[in-house]
Amino acid sequence: QKEVEQNSGPLSVPEGAIASLNCTYSDRGSQSFFWYRQYSGKSPELIMFIYSNGDKEDGRFTAQLNKASQYVSLLIRDSQPSDSATYLCAVNKGDYKLSFGAGTTVTVRA
Amino acid sequence: EAGVTQSPTHLIKTRGQQATLRCSPISGHTSVYWYQQALGLGLQFLLWYDEGEERNRGNFPPRFSGRQFPNYSSELNVNALELEDSALYLCASSSLEGLAGELETQYFGPGTRLLVL
């Protein structure tokens, strides 16, 4: 079982719609969770982190964490063409190294 | 505030050679992390340095090594290069201080793209 798994893409959404990205992790002791966005040929860029159960909102982005289900998600509201990228879920088990999922590629159709 | 910087942006080597990659963290950050992103393999943790010491290491052979300098900048050395070492090498930094969640947040540099021929 992989440490971090993300729903397979690619995910295609129309402009203005909500994109929903899912991530599950295997280590129940994981402490903090991160979403990064990576444009093709570029390095990962932090979108947000979450460490408590529940929702965390930042602009058009909402992260949701459910530690009991070992599940973290990212919602992108009012999707824009500039949101087209690969989204990486990362998990910190407390040892300060991040374990990354394979990423979900999102394409926003104009 | 300047972000994480890495040099060179691109590096071409041949099998058996050594490569040296450099990273400067965000000002005030003491921790530096190295990751490898090979095509189709995703981001893999390589090394973590903090306060000049190696704190953690991923599942990579010993020919991957590095160090951290007193100014917190870091070098990654890859000896005896193999074709499969071709990848984007990413450096990230964090401060290890701050509120929960913030202290583990890692910010990435632009990467060094290594091609081994």
Side-chain angles (χ1 to χ4, degrees):
Chain A
Q1 183 184 12
K2 293 182 180 177
E3 290 185 342
V4 181
E5 298 204 56
Q6 296 185 237
N7 52 325
S8 58
L11 178 65
S12 180
V13 298
E15 186 173 357
I18 295 175
S20 177
L21 306 171
N22 302 318
C23 174
T24 57
Y25 57 95
S26 60
D27 191 328
R28 189 168 288 278
S30 298
Q31 299 182 358
S32 51
F33 310 86
F34 304 82
W35 283 100
Y36 287 86
R37 176 175 63 196
Q38 187 173 26
Y39 293 111
S40 181
K42 302 294 185 181
S43 63
E45 169 192 11
L46 180 71
I47 297 174
M48 61 196 308
F49 66 84
I50 186 167
Y51 59 90
S52 297
N53 278 327
D55 295 357
K56 181 180 179 182
E57 187 175 313
D58 185 357
R60 296 186 294 111
F61 299 96
T62 299
Q64 300 173 318
L65 175 61
N66 184 324
K67 288 187 177 180
S69 300
Q70 294 176 236
Y71 172 92
V72 59
S73 67
L74 180 71
L75 298 177
I76 307 173
R77 291 184 303 281
D78 187 25
S79 295
Q80 302 297 309
S82 59
D83 294 327
S84 297
T86 296
Y87 289 80
L88 301 169
C89 173
V91 174
N92 187 331
K93 297 186 293 183
D95 55 3
Y96 293 96
K97 68 175 187 180
L98 294 180
S99 296
F100 283 84
T104 300
T105 299
V106 173
T107 300
V108 180
R109 310 186 302 270
Chain B
E1 179 184 274
V4 177
T5 60
Q6 291 186 245
S7 64
T9 54
H10 293 81
L11 192 57
I12 300 175
K13 295 286 186 178
T14 56
R15 283 180 59 189
Q17 285 189 314
Q18 178 195 40
T20 298
L21 289 63
R22 296 179 177 84
C23 170
S24 291
I26 291 171
S27 178
H29 285 190
T30 62
S31 270
V32 170
Y33 310 81
W34 288 95
Y35 292 85
Q36 182 196 66
Q37 189 173 35
L39 202 60
L41 290 181
L43 268 154
Q44 303 291 323
F45 168 77
L46 264 166
L47 291 158
W48 169 33
Y49 291 94
D50 182 63
E51 297 286 357
E53 299 288 329
E54 181 180 304
R55 302 294 186 184
N56 205 343
R57 183 181 183 87
N59 294 326
F60 282 85
R63 57 190 186 83
F64 287 84
S65 65
R67 54 180 173 166
Q68 186 178 33
F69 300 99
N71 66 353
Y72 304 113
S73 67
S74 177
E75 263 182 13
L76 173 69
N77 295 293
V78 188
N79 294 319
L81 283 165
E82 300 178 2
L83 296 179
E84 51 265 35
D85 296 333
S86 295
L88 178 66
Y89 288 85
L90 292 160
C91 172
S93 73
S94 69
S95 70
L96 296 192
E97 292 182 359
L99 301 176
E102 291 177 350
L103 58 86
E104 307 108 85
T105 300
Q106 297 179 22
Y107 299 90
F108 284 85
T112 293
R113 197 165 294 278
L114 173 64
L115 178 61
V116 183
L117 301 174

